Amino acid sequence: MLRLGPCAAAAARCLPAGPRPGPLCLAGSRGSFARSRPPAGDCEPLSRQVGAAAGGERAPVLKTPKGTRDHAPAQAALRDRLLSAVVSCFKRHGAAAIDTPVLELRETLIGKYGEGTKLIYELQDQGGELLALRYDLTVPFARYLAMNKITNMKRYHVAKVYRRDNPATTRGRYREFYQCDFDIAGQFDPMIPDAECLKIVHEILTDLQLGDFVIKVNDRRILNGVFAICGVPESKFIPACCTVDKLDKMPWEEVRSEMVGEKGLSPEAADRIGEYVQLHGGLDLIERLLQDPKLSQNKLAKEGLGDMKLLFEYLTLFGITGKISFDLSLARGLDYYTGVIFEAVLLQQENEHVEEAVSVGSVAGGGRYDGLVGMFDPKGRKVPCVGVSIGIERIFSILEQRLEASGEKLRTTETQVLVATPQKHLLAARMKLISELWDAGIKAEMLYKKDPKLLKQLQYCEATGIPLAAIVGEQELADGVVKLRDVATREEVDIPREKLIDEIRRRLEP
């Protein structure tokens, strides 16, 4: 059991006297929180516990929980740059930002994620509410729309989500990770918002220059139509869908075996499903399936194929069909999808003798979920929605490895000017000058020593990538100037004090 530590126990002693509930403790295989009293050891004075640790009796465990990580300054800077690029695209398409609590009521999340439901972190707070950490940003968005009676919205949301999964940190798979979502809610003409979501994925992956990629598209109605004509009972559509979704990780033989052995489908039904879900192509495949004697007779499949054809027409106008593949194996295992679904994967050419590129991992996914908001509305009123989630952690992992391999040094601060002095007893001059720069909105630093050596100050500029140094010495003070140094070229020029800020801004212009 993971108990709240001694710091929390010490803080608890500061609370008013009288009965109070015990602290929250993580317990149980499902990661739920239960209320319990800490052992007596946690009630010892903090100084005694620290002393014991220092004496070697009880050393602290210095690691992050499984499936989580710290971000050092360089990693945080890389992540911020990545998030900024993604958010910039969302804003370019007219989305407004929202935020929702990291905690949701348990009933809000349960039953929305198919087999993913078992990965939800469930909690219980001291007030007795059954809570859970959010699993994604889509279900909270649907709850937000229903709760606020919003029927039309284009939003983006960047925040952390939590899954009690088996982490694979080298591939960017964590238990705590960022999601970056873009969604369009409202009643609009078919496939126009869906096409824009795919255009956004194409823009982001192109701008990030991650390499070759393909965006797979399918439609839940087509998939359900396939299941229906293959003899799968409607009650088994979702389990069958979750199994088909594994085709990108498992060969067909293993998927078929799971369908028959675990999901209870007949071998004949599984074989008929296999004839369809291994197909992929473009507009030609859509036309072919519209002529399929069995599939064309299924109402849902026919609707889905009609919309898929329209979607490809819009994607042709956007000029991105070269990166789009209509892939019947794409299923997306979440329960709430009702129409078009899509997933972007990076491709890697293993060697020059391989004609077809292979997938190295999904970096974005999404789809249409027209019924989700209605699940939260008291009167069941539906708000059609479509959206996409960018796989920030997977992309970050790729960029991080690429940066490490290149040996490139990433700036971790945005400091523009270092205020420096060449002689002793000039701390007051530095502090006055840096205050003027800060008041003018210029990002400036100085070293926290009274009399730093000039060489140390200039070396700090070079080490941290600060482009300019403003040097003020006894002679500069007497002449009413500041020596402005270009750190990269080492060129110096005297600038009148009253013109310094304008000169700095001129030099910093892009």
Side-chain angles (χ1 to χ4, degrees):
M1 179 182 289
L2 256 174
R3 300 189 306 275
L4 290 180
C7 293
R13 286 195 291 274
C14 297
L15 294 172
R20 59 180 181 268
L24 295 175
C25 292
L26 185 62
S29 60
R30 291 188 60 80
S32 57
F33 278 90
R35 201 178 290 140
S36 66
R37 276 296 187 190
D42 270 1
C43 293
E44 295 173 357
L46 188 58
S47 58
R48 192 184 306 167
Q49 293 186 43
V50 172
E57 296 177 22
R58 187 174 161 186
V61 178
L62 294 176
K63 66 175 187 177
T64 61
K66 184 180 179 182
T68 65
R69 66 173 293 185
D70 294 321
H71 286 81
Q75 295 162 336
L78 179 62
R79 184 191 61 198
D80 289 347
R81 183 186 294 185
L82 172 58
L83 291 174
S84 176
V86 173
V87 168
S88 175
C89 180
F90 292 163
K91 289 181 176 179
R92 187 163 64 242
H93 285 260
I98 70 163
D99 194 16
T100 61
V102 70
L103 297 174
E104 291 281 350
L105 293 176
R106 179 184 180 274
E107 65 186 73
T108 299
L109 305 185
I110 296 300
K112 312 297 191 304
Y113 302 110
E115 294 185 354
T117 294
K118 62 188 178 185
L119 304 181
I120 294 173
Y121 276 105
E122 297 181 28
L123 308 166
Q124 181 176 342
D125 78 355
Q126 294 181 354
E129 281 186 317
L130 296 177
L131 306 174
L133 296 178
R134 61 186 172 207
Y135 179 92
D136 70 359
L137 302 178
T138 306
V139 171
F141 176 53
R143 188 265 308 152
Y144 171 85
L145 292 175
M147 194 172 86
N148 293 284
K149 296 180 173 58
I150 297 170
T151 58
N152 191 311
M153 187 179 199
K154 187 189 291 187
R155 83 88 167 86
Y156 75 89
H157 190 183
V158 178
K160 286 183 176 181
V161 298
Y162 300 85
R163 297 185 185 177
R164 199 168 53 85
D165 203 352
N166 288 321
T169 54
T170 55
R171 292 187 284 118
R173 187 171 174 178
Y174 295 88
R175 289 181 167 180
E176 176 193 61
F177 56 96
Y178 274 98
Q179 278 195 342
C180 297
D181 283 18
F182 173 96
D183 292 80
I184 301 171
Q187 188 73 51
F188 304 106
D189 289 336
M191 296 299 103
I192 298 175
D194 311 62
E196 183 171 4
C197 286
L198 289 165
K199 180 71 167 73
I200 285 170
V201 175
H202 187 278
E203 285 180 16
I204 289 172
L205 296 184
T206 301
D207 290 347
L208 291 175
Q209 299 179 341
L210 297 171
D212 198 14
F213 64 90
V214 64
I215 306 172
K216 301 177 182 179
V217 296
N218 197 5
D219 194 298
R220 272 292 180 83
R221 292 167 297 176
I222 299 173
L223 210 50
N224 287 345
V226 167
F227 294 150
I229 67 170
C230 292
V232 178
E234 190 173 345
S235 61
K236 294 186 177 180
F237 279 9
I238 290 177
C241 195
C242 291
T243 304
V244 169
D245 196 44
K246 298 175 182 178
L247 264 174
D248 63 334
K249 305 177 187 72
M250 296 161 48
W252 166 248
E253 292 72 21
E254 291 182 26
V255 170
R256 180 190 182 280
S257 177
E258 183 176 312
M259 280 184 172
V260 175
E262 296 181 26
K263 307 302 182 185
L265 273 62
S266 69
E268 295 78 17
D271 288 338
R272 287 194 290 269
I273 290 171
E275 294 173 8
Y276 286 99
V277 297
Q278 296 181 80
L279 298 173
H280 59 89
L283 207 48
D284 56 337
L285 178 58
I286 299 170
E287 296 286 7
R288 202 168 92 216
L289 292 175
L290 280 168
Q291 303 304 317
D292 184 286
K294 292 182 179 178
L295 202 57
S296 61
Q297 299 305 308
N298 181 275
K299 183 184 176 185
L300 271 181
K302 194 171 181 180
E303 286 178 3
L305 287 166
D307 279 349
M308 187 63 65
K309 184 178 178 181
L310 183 60
L311 177 65
F312 265 77
E313 290 176 8
Y314 293 151
L315 297 179
T316 301
L317 294 172
F318 284 153
I320 64 172
T321 49
K323 295 291 187 182
I324 308 293
S325 172
F326 174 39
D327 191 326
L328 271 78
S329 71
L330 181 65
R332 305 285 298 164
L334 302 177
D335 284 4
Y336 52 66
Y337 288 124
T338 57
V340 167
I341 49 177
F342 41 87
E343 183 172 281
V345 296
L346 296 183
L347 302 175
Q348 176 178 291
Q349 203 78 34
E350 289 191 325
N351 57 62
E352 59 184 8
H353 304 294
V354 178
E355 293 183 2
E356 189 172 347
V358 296
S359 167
V360 294
S362 169
V363 289
R368 178 159 286 281
Y369 50 101
D370 288 348
L372 188 56
V373 177
M375 292 183 182
F376 300 112
D377 189 273
K379 297 182 179 179
R381 288 169 294 205
K382 294 183 178 181
V383 178
C385 298
V386 63
V388 61
S389 182
I390 307 298
I392 283 297
E393 299 295 349
R394 175 70 60 85
I395 295 173
F396 176 79
S397 180
I398 293 166
L399 293 178
E400 189 178 23
Q401 291 169 17
R402 192 177 290 179
L403 186 68
E404 188 175 332
S406 72
E408 179 190 348
K409 189 174 181 181
L410 197 67
R411 279 202 71 187
T412 59
T413 69
E414 297 181 4
T415 306
Q416 298 164 321
V417 181
L418 181 83
V419 176
T421 47
Q423 296 108 12
K424 293 183 177 181
H425 311 304
L426 291 173
L427 175 61
R430 269 191 294 148
M431 296 184 80
K432 285 179 181 178
L433 179 55
I434 199 170
S435 183
E436 290 175 21
L437 298 183
W438 285 337
D439 290 345
I442 292 169
K443 299 167 184 174
E445 283 187 70
M446 67 178 190
L447 298 193
Y448 300 127
K449 291 179 73 79
K450 283 186 177 180
D451 300 312
K453 292 181 179 179
L454 182 60
L455 179 61
K456 289 282 186 185
Q457 297 172 83
L458 298 179
Q459 285 174 338
Y460 179 78
C461 287
E462 292 178 353
T464 57
I466 299 174
L468 298 173
I471 302 169
V472 54
E474 293 171 354
Q475 188 62 49
E476 285 78 19
L477 286 172
D479 296 344
V481 299
V482 173
K483 194 178 297 295
L484 193 59
R485 178 184 175 100
D486 185 308
V487 176
T489 65
R490 302 189 177 183
E491 293 178 357
E492 296 179 346
V493 59
D494 287 343
I495 307 294
R497 182 82 171 233
E498 66 275 9
K499 295 182 179 179
L500 177 65
I501 288 170
D502 288 339
E503 177 62 19
I504 289 173
R505 286 175 176 157
R506 186 188 68 77
R507 294 198 185 200
L508 293 173
E509 284 178 359

